[in-house]
Amino acid sequence: MERVRTILTHTYPYPHEHSRHAIIAVFFGCLFFISSDNMHTLIEKFSVKWWSMYACLLGFFYFFSSPFIGKTIRPNYSNFSRWYIAWILVAALYHLPNFQSMGLDLRMNLSLFLTIYISSIFFLVVFHIIFLCLWYVGLVSRVAGRRPEILTILQNCAVLSMACCIFYSHCGNRAILRQKPLGRQHSSWFSFWKREHRHNTWLAKFIRMSELKDQVCSSWFAPVGSASDYPLLSKWFIYGEIACNGSCPDSSNEISPIYSLTSADLFKTVFDLLVSVTVFVGRFDMRMLQAAMTKSCDGTKKEELLYDHLAHKDKFWFDFMADTGDGGNSSYAVAKLLAQPTIEVLVDGKARPLPRGNVLLIGGDLAYPNPSSFTYEKRLFCPFEYALQPPPWYKNDSIAVDKPELPEGVKDLKDYDGPQCFLIPGNHDWFDGLNTFMRYICHKSWLGGWFMPQKKSYFALQLPQRWWVFGLDLALHGDIDVDQFKFFSELVKEKVEEDDAVIIITHEPNWLLDWYWSCDTGKNVRHLICDVLKDRCKLRMAGDLHHYMRHSCTQSDGPTHVQHLLVNGCGGAFLHPTHVFSKFSKFYGASYGSKAAYPSFDDSSKIALGNILKFRKKNWQFDFIGGIIYFILVFSLFPQCKLAHILRGDSFSGHLESFLGTVWSAFVYVMEQSYVSFTGVLMLLISAIIFVPSKISRKKRVLIGVLHVAAHLMAALILMLMLELGIEICIQHNLLANSGYHSLYQWYKSVESEHFPDPTGLRARIEQWTFGLYPACIKYLMSAFDVPEVMAVTRTNICKEGMESLSRSGAVIYYASVFLYFWVFSTPVVSLVFGSYLYICINWLHIHFDEAFSSLRIANYKSFTRFHIKENKDIEVFTLAVDKVPKDWKLDKDWDSEPKQSGVMSHKRKYPSKWCASTSQQDPVATVKVVDYFVIHRSQKQNGESSQKQNGEC
């Protein structure tokens, strides 16, 4: 059955699955070989001191890479982070001593890896160029479409190189293995245990892995023993001649297994695989191109703003939602609930069927983050079309030039019995001057299966039982313009009777925002409500804030201008907190009490804790600016040459006291003597103060900004000292800065002749053919790879001779090498500090409510409100919500199997929605619940007046 990960939320799967699987195989192969040879050594020679450094180092690297583990982050940054982490982590680990105590010298693996890597890149790039030439000439099928990617080549080279290194390091050179004794020397305890208990316990099987490894090396990956086993091309490549004709010495007939792995046969196999996959597994991308139908109209018709075709409907229901948002799982979940013919819910302990609304009202912010053809089509129209399909004859690219364009067979809008939709724009819809809204809403007829008759961005809708809906367009000013005020005020005088009831929809809930920001907006709206409508406005609805809250009037000394205030912006965008607005109580001179909140105030406060735990995981883009800021804060403090006093202490408290004293000295240095770091601190302080919302006083803003920057500065100083201490410890134990910049290459050259004999002078010929570039590339690549050595050697030179001894290029190289590691250490910490700052601000100070919750990107807690106009002229209000939005969807078998009759509208189907949750228990239809229920009385003169008094309402 067809299944999708999300409806519209873009995922970024790992682009080279075969490379990833190969890396996993190589990793487990490495564990197998290491454990088989060195597990007993690991147990016997465990060093707490050095393994604690391992834990610290690996911990920082884990926290840095945690957002990319099992996630679908953009492949460019995700791939970069994976390879970046692998590079600098291995470069640091191979200098630590415990691998050597286990009998594993990573220098052999690293030098071998870099050598093979350069060679394989050269060969595969040559094949890549040949393929491109054949493709452009036309000798390769054009069906391939996609040509080989450079990133694929690089990753394949890395995987092959790692496999070669592990194979050679643990299976060894065949000639050398002949000289080694067959038996393995273990400790007496190990040997005794192995003899007595090897067949009795599971650990014995684990110890016997060494025997299995011998079988693997000798049978599965047995190196080719002699030159006679190679074809002619490989003989020429390795020996420089077609055949030795029996004149080659015995040693020359022995071939190192490294040649068997990097021979022309291997590259030929890789090339054949690359070409076959790329050329012959191409596919056609079939698309149906549809021409846009354009129509012209000779005459012009005055745009209508009043819609009274629903005034005489019976059993009338209508829905309200806002902030449809990002068009992913959450938007579709809400749209699916809106599309269902009936929803069964529990109301006051009794099951009630709630029919689909005759009208859907959407309160703005139709697509995020900006209005465009892409965001409207993919994030608004597509989820609604999945939930309720438009008519089969409707074309998505059609333009309505004479609205309403009624379905075939319907002569008047009053006769249409399907669901309809009316929308107002939000602030996000106004970012382009309302152009996209006008094109997609006012000049199109269908939002999925909902018919859209409206022609302007504001409207008046007359409902049954003398109820009215005024949809106001506040634009970016938070108020209606003069033309709107004139239209609605004249409508009230001409059409709205004294006993009528009005529901006003705006995008922004200015009653909450004005209270929060201590401002006064919407003066024209207030004039319309208080002076024109007077006490006829029973309900105000809005979105913009992505939660659900309802406040009802509890006490009023004068007339009650608005009975209920309702915010429901849970249509699909990220979640906003509710506890920030818990103390709202006054509006238009009346007192209001909070009657419902979703999520609840307690839940909202708990959700904010995610800023501490999940900030970086949700906002990995913050790495770029966060790591650079921290490096600037401590730039002037590198290097720290006098750290020996921290290591001389005998107790932990002594070490800690010396460490904190050094942190304080570094802080004083930044404030008094540094230029670059002090400038960074000053700029960060100014930005932090400006970042604090103007809701609070200036003194508090300065205090919050100072504390915020102080936390970042202290964290940066501690990280700087930890990095410098690690380098200092390695230097004191002769693990760094003891062989110069090219220590790895020099070591490789010293063992090259022993491990990789070259009696025929192949390396000399390669050097001659490449004009010396081959050994030079290997040399400088090894030096660039060994970042800790470069950093330690330069640091030692600075501490001995001063910063003046460095050239400009040397200083750039030093600070770049420091930044490579400091960035990894700092990015998790800066996210932790900033996330903690947001948590404190949102829960204790009630500021940064937008930043604190938008950073969490919560797709859950979605809702909409359904209204029912009763026969006694009152309105029942049901707010339906889903706590958790599904992430996995599959094709709904009921929808797929239901007969599709030609010309039948989708709203008449029993199963209108295409997708359902992969697990039926998680489907929105199964998990929907009522989070708020109340009744709005059309007139206080009815029996509703006594019930309102009993409920404590005005």
Side-chain angles (χ1 to χ4, degrees), residues 129-157:
I129 295 174
I130 295 174
F131 174 82
L132 291 180
C133 295
L134 295 176
W135 192 87
Y136 281 114
V137 170
L139 298 179
V140 176
S141 174
R142 295 280 177 170
V143 176
R146 292 183 60 187
R147 290 158 290 179
E149 297 182 1
I150 296 297
L151 183 58
T152 306
I153 293 177
L154 297 179
Q155 293 193 150
N156 289 340
C157 292

Short mmCIF file of all heavy atoms in Angstrom, two decimals, residues 129-157:
data_model
loop_
_atom_site.label_atom_id
_atom_site.label_comp_id
_atom_site.label_asym_id
_atom_site.label_seq_id
_atom_site.Cartn_x
_atom_site.Cartn_y
_atom_site.Cartn_z
N ILE A 129 35.30 12.04 -15.79
CA ILE A 129 35.50 12.90 -16.96
C ILE A 129 35.22 12.13 -18.24
O ILE A 129 34.60 12.64 -19.18
CB ILE A 129 36.93 13.48 -16.94
CG1 ILE A 129 37.11 14.40 -15.73
CG2 ILE A 129 37.23 14.23 -18.24
CD1 ILE A 129 38.53 14.90 -15.56
N ILE A 130 35.67 10.89 -18.29
CA ILE A 130 35.41 10.06 -19.48
C ILE A 130 33.91 9.87 -19.67
O ILE A 130 33.39 9.98 -20.78
CB ILE A 130 36.12 8.70 -19.34
CG1 ILE A 130 37.64 8.89 -19.34
CG2 ILE A 130 35.70 7.74 -20.46
CD1 ILE A 130 38.41 7.62 -19.06
N PHE A 131 33.21 9.61 -18.58
CA PHE A 131 31.76 9.43 -18.68
C PHE A 131 31.08 10.70 -19.19
O PHE A 131 30.19 10.64 -20.04
CB PHE A 131 31.19 9.03 -17.32
CG PHE A 131 29.69 8.97 -17.30
CD1 PHE A 131 29.03 7.85 -17.76
CD2 PHE A 131 28.94 10.03 -16.81
CE1 PHE A 131 27.65 7.79 -17.75
CE2 PHE A 131 27.57 9.98 -16.81
CZ PHE A 131 26.91 8.86 -17.27
N LEU A 132 31.49 11.86 -18.67
CA LEU A 132 30.89 13.12 -19.12
C LEU A 132 31.13 13.33 -20.61
O LEU A 132 30.23 13.78 -21.34
CB LEU A 132 31.44 14.29 -18.31
CG LEU A 132 31.02 14.36 -16.84
CD1 LEU A 132 31.64 15.59 -16.18
CD2 LEU A 132 29.51 14.42 -16.71
N CYS A 133 32.33 13.03 -21.05
CA CYS A 133 32.62 13.20 -22.48
C CYS A 133 31.73 12.29 -23.32
O CYS A 133 31.15 12.72 -24.33
CB CYS A 133 34.10 12.90 -22.75
SG CYS A 133 35.24 14.06 -21.95
N LEU A 134 31.60 11.04 -22.91
CA LEU A 134 30.73 10.11 -23.65
C LEU A 134 29.28 10.56 -23.59
O LEU A 134 28.53 10.41 -24.57
CB LEU A 134 30.87 8.70 -23.06
CG LEU A 134 32.25 8.05 -23.21
CD1 LEU A 134 32.26 6.69 -22.50
CD2 LEU A 134 32.63 7.89 -24.67
N TRP A 135 28.87 11.12 -22.46
CA TRP A 135 27.47 11.56 -22.33
C TRP A 135 27.18 12.73 -23.25
O TRP A 135 26.14 12.77 -23.91
CB TRP A 135 27.22 11.94 -20.87
CG TRP A 135 25.76 12.13 -20.54
CD1 TRP A 135 24.88 11.17 -20.16
CD2 TRP A 135 25.05 13.36 -20.56
NE1 TRP A 135 23.64 11.72 -19.93
CE2 TRP A 135 23.71 13.07 -20.18
CE3 TRP A 135 25.39 14.68 -20.87
CZ2 TRP A 135 22.74 14.05 -20.09
CZ3 TRP A 135 24.40 15.65 -20.78
CH2 TRP A 135 23.10 15.34 -20.40
N TYR A 136 28.09 13.69 -23.31
CA TYR A 136 27.86 14.86 -24.17
C TYR A 136 27.96 14.50 -25.65
O TYR A 136 27.25 15.07 -26.48
CB TYR A 136 28.85 15.97 -23.82
CG TYR A 136 28.47 16.75 -22.59
CD1 TYR A 136 29.26 16.69 -21.44
CD2 TYR A 136 27.33 17.54 -22.56
CE1 TYR A 136 28.92 17.40 -20.30
CE2 TYR A 136 26.98 18.25 -21.43
CZ TYR A 136 27.77 18.17 -20.30
OH TYR A 136 27.42 18.88 -19.18
N VAL A 137 28.85 13.58 -25.98
CA VAL A 137 28.97 13.18 -27.37
C VAL A 137 27.74 12.41 -27.83
O VAL A 137 27.36 12.46 -29.00
CB VAL A 137 30.26 12.35 -27.56
CG1 VAL A 137 30.31 11.71 -28.94
CG2 VAL A 137 31.47 13.24 -27.34
N GLY A 138 27.10 11.71 -26.90
CA GLY A 138 25.92 10.95 -27.25
C GLY A 138 26.14 9.46 -27.28
O GLY A 138 25.23 8.71 -27.67
N LEU A 139 27.32 9.00 -26.89
CA LEU A 139 27.60 7.58 -26.89
C LEU A 139 27.01 6.88 -25.67
O LEU A 139 26.98 5.65 -25.61
CB LEU A 139 29.12 7.34 -26.94
CG LEU A 139 29.82 7.86 -28.20
CD1 LEU A 139 31.30 7.59 -28.11
CD2 LEU A 139 29.21 7.24 -29.46
N VAL A 140 26.57 7.67 -24.68
CA VAL A 140 25.91 7.13 -23.51
C VAL A 140 24.45 7.54 -23.57
O VAL A 140 24.13 8.67 -23.96
CB VAL A 140 26.57 7.65 -22.21
CG1 VAL A 140 25.81 7.14 -21.00
CG2 VAL A 140 28.01 7.19 -22.15
N SER A 141 23.57 6.66 -23.17
CA SER A 141 22.13 6.91 -23.29
C SER A 141 21.74 8.18 -22.57
O SER A 141 22.10 8.40 -21.41
CB SER A 141 21.36 5.73 -22.71
OG SER A 141 19.98 6.01 -22.71
N ARG A 142 20.96 9.01 -23.22
CA ARG A 142 20.47 10.23 -22.59
C ARG A 142 19.39 9.95 -21.55
O ARG A 142 19.00 10.84 -20.80
CB ARG A 142 19.87 11.16 -23.67
CG ARG A 142 20.90 11.65 -24.68
CD ARG A 142 21.71 12.80 -24.13
NE ARG A 142 22.74 13.24 -25.05
CZ ARG A 142 23.45 14.36 -24.88
NH1 ARG A 142 23.24 15.11 -23.84
NH2 ARG A 142 24.39 14.69 -25.74
N VAL A 143 18.91 8.71 -21.53
CA VAL A 143 17.89 8.36 -20.55
C VAL A 143 18.43 8.49 -19.13
O VAL A 143 17.70 8.64 -18.16
CB VAL A 143 17.39 6.92 -20.81
CG1 VAL A 143 16.39 6.48 -19.75
CG2 VAL A 143 16.76 6.85 -22.20
N ALA A 144 19.77 8.45 -19.02
CA ALA A 144 20.38 8.51 -17.68
C ALA A 144 19.93 9.74 -16.93
O ALA A 144 19.70 9.69 -15.74
CB ALA A 144 21.90 8.48 -17.81
N GLY A 145 19.81 10.86 -17.63
CA GLY A 145 19.28 12.06 -16.99
C GLY A 145 20.24 12.66 -15.98
O GLY A 145 20.75 13.75 -16.17
N ARG A 146 20.52 11.95 -14.91
CA ARG A 146 21.41 12.45 -13.87
C ARG A 146 22.81 11.90 -14.08
O ARG A 146 23.01 10.70 -14.20
CB ARG A 146 20.89 12.04 -12.50
CG ARG A 146 19.61 12.70 -12.10
CD ARG A 146 19.22 12.27 -10.70
NE ARG A 146 20.25 12.66 -9.74
CZ ARG A 146 20.23 12.28 -8.47
NH1 ARG A 146 19.28 11.51 -8.03
NH2 ARG A 146 21.19 12.66 -7.64
N ARG A 147 23.76 12.78 -14.08
CA ARG A 147 25.16 12.35 -14.21
C ARG A 147 25.74 12.06 -12.83
O ARG A 147 25.19 12.47 -11.82
CB ARG A 147 25.95 13.46 -14.91
CG ARG A 147 25.58 13.62 -16.38
CD ARG A 147 25.95 14.99 -16.88
NE ARG A 147 25.08 16.01 -16.31
CZ ARG A 147 25.20 17.30 -16.56
NH1 ARG A 147 26.15 17.74 -17.34
NH2 ARG A 147 24.37 18.16 -16.03
N PRO A 148 26.86 11.36 -12.80
CA PRO A 148 27.46 11.04 -11.49
C PRO A 148 27.78 12.32 -10.71
O PRO A 148 28.30 13.28 -11.26
CB PRO A 148 28.74 10.28 -11.87
CG PRO A 148 28.50 9.78 -13.25
CD PRO A 148 27.61 10.79 -13.92
N GLU A 149 27.48 12.31 -9.42
CA GLU A 149 27.73 13.45 -8.57
C GLU A 149 29.12 13.36 -7.94
O GLU A 149 29.56 12.28 -7.56
CB GLU A 149 26.67 13.55 -7.49
CG GLU A 149 25.26 13.78 -8.04
CD GLU A 149 24.25 13.92 -6.94
OE1 GLU A 149 24.67 13.86 -5.76
OE2 GLU A 149 23.07 14.10 -7.24
N ILE A 150 29.77 14.51 -7.84
CA ILE A 150 31.10 14.54 -7.24
C ILE A 150 31.05 14.05 -5.80
O ILE A 150 31.93 13.33 -5.34
CB ILE A 150 31.68 15.96 -7.32
CG1 ILE A 150 31.87 16.38 -8.78
CG2 ILE A 150 32.99 16.05 -6.57
CD1 ILE A 150 32.86 15.52 -9.54
N LEU A 151 29.98 14.42 -5.08
CA LEU A 151 29.87 13.99 -3.69
C LEU A 151 29.78 12.47 -3.58
O LEU A 151 30.34 11.87 -2.67
CB LEU A 151 28.64 14.63 -3.04
CG LEU A 151 28.43 14.34 -1.55
CD1 LEU A 151 29.63 14.79 -0.75
CD2 LEU A 151 27.16 15.00 -1.06
N THR A 152 29.10 11.86 -4.53
CA THR A 152 29.03 10.40 -4.54
C THR A 152 30.41 9.79 -4.74
O THR A 152 30.78 8.81 -4.08
CB THR A 152 28.09 9.93 -5.65
OG1 THR A 152 26.82 10.58 -5.50
CG2 THR A 152 27.90 8.43 -5.61
N ILE A 153 31.17 10.37 -5.65
CA ILE A 153 32.53 9.88 -5.89
C ILE A 153 33.37 10.00 -4.63
O ILE A 153 34.08 9.06 -4.24
CB ILE A 153 33.16 10.65 -7.06
CG1 ILE A 153 32.43 10.33 -8.37
CG2 ILE A 153 34.64 10.33 -7.19
CD1 ILE A 153 32.95 11.08 -9.55
N LEU A 154 33.33 11.12 -3.97
CA LEU A 154 34.14 11.34 -2.77
C LEU A 154 33.76 10.37 -1.67
O LEU A 154 34.62 9.82 -0.97
CB LEU A 154 34.01 12.78 -2.30
CG LEU A 154 34.49 13.87 -3.27
CD1 LEU A 154 34.28 15.25 -2.67
CD2 LEU A 154 35.97 13.66 -3.60
N GLN A 155 32.46 10.16 -1.48
CA GLN A 155 32.02 9.25 -0.43
C GLN A 155 32.39 7.81 -0.75
O GLN A 155 32.78 7.04 0.13
CB GLN A 155 30.51 9.40 -0.21
CG GLN A 155 30.12 10.74 0.37
CD GLN A 155 28.69 10.77 0.88
OE1 GLN A 155 28.38 11.50 1.79
NE2 GLN A 155 27.83 9.99 0.28
N ASN A 156 32.26 7.42 -2.01
CA ASN A 156 32.66 6.07 -2.38
C ASN A 156 34.16 5.85 -2.16
O ASN A 156 34.59 4.79 -1.70
CB ASN A 156 32.30 5.79 -3.84
CG ASN A 156 30.81 5.66 -4.05
OD1 ASN A 156 30.07 5.42 -3.11
ND2 ASN A 156 30.36 5.83 -5.28
N CYS A 157 34.94 6.87 -2.50
CA CYS A 157 36.39 6.78 -2.27
C CYS A 157 36.69 6.62 -0.78
O CYS A 157 37.56 5.83 -0.39
CB CYS A 157 37.09 8.02 -2.82
SG CYS A 157 37.07 8.16 -4.61
#
